[in-house]
Amino acid sequence: QVQLVESGGGLVQAGGSLRLSCAASGLTFSAANMGWFRQAPGKEREFVAAINWTGTGTYYIDSVKGRFTISRDNAKNTVFLQMNSLKPEDTAVYYCAAQPASRDYRSPSLYNFWGQGTQVTVSS
């Protein structure tokens, strides 16, 4: 079955950086769009960034543009989220998600495979 395993979360001070990774198995990774979502305590899950199956298309929500970068390595079945200039409001559990390449990678409702999440905590 499809497995998505996130890593790289942790505790960082405001202004710091973290790099999240998501290792995928059980799917044809090079034929999957990938996304990152986050959920803060008491809030709904939020779509953060996405990348299409070729890596030529990316999407970011306004609050992370210029600070976060999504990328992928199809040879390693891994998607990354480089997070710079972190703010306390970025604190959340971050989830990796996948969808078939035929779907619109910018549509959060079309992701159907999910990881277990990794905690990111940004202290002020």
Side-chain angles (χ1 to χ4, degrees):
Q1 72 272 20
V2 176
Q3 284 195 321
L4 303 174
V5 180
E6 301 95 337
S7 61
L11 173 64
V12 65
Q13 289 188 332
S17 298
L18 284 173
R19 189 191 196 204
L20 305 184
S21 299
C22 171
S25 61
L27 77 167
T28 303
F29 185 76
S30 59
N33 299 325
M34 302 297 296
W36 285 97
F37 293 72
R38 66 186 179 187
Q39 188 166 20
K43 295 188 177 181
E44 293 187 354
R45 188 171 294 187
E46 179 181 40
F47 188 38
V48 176
I51 188 166
N52 69 353
W53 61 286
T54 62
T56 57
T58 58
Y59 169 85
Y60 301 93
I61 57 172
D62 286 345
S63 60
V64 307
K65 282 181 181 176
R67 300 190 298 123
F68 291 10
T69 302
I70 188 170
S71 62
R72 64 189 296 157
D73 185 339
N74 284 354
K76 296 183 178 180
N77 288 4
T78 304
V79 63
F80 305 97
L81 186 67
Q82 178 67 43
M83 305 186 296
N84 299 328
S85 302
L86 283 161
K87 304 176 181 180
E89 51 263 44
D90 294 318
T91 295
V93 177
Y94 282 72
Y95 298 90
C96 172
Q99 59 167 227
S102 58
R103 297 180 180 178
D104 184 351
Y105 69 99
R106 298 160 296 182
S107 295
S109 62
L110 299 180
Y111 284 82
N112 53 334
F113 298 110
W114 296 87
Q116 293 300 306
T118 185
Q119 177 70 47
V120 171
T121 303
V122 185
S123 64
S124 57

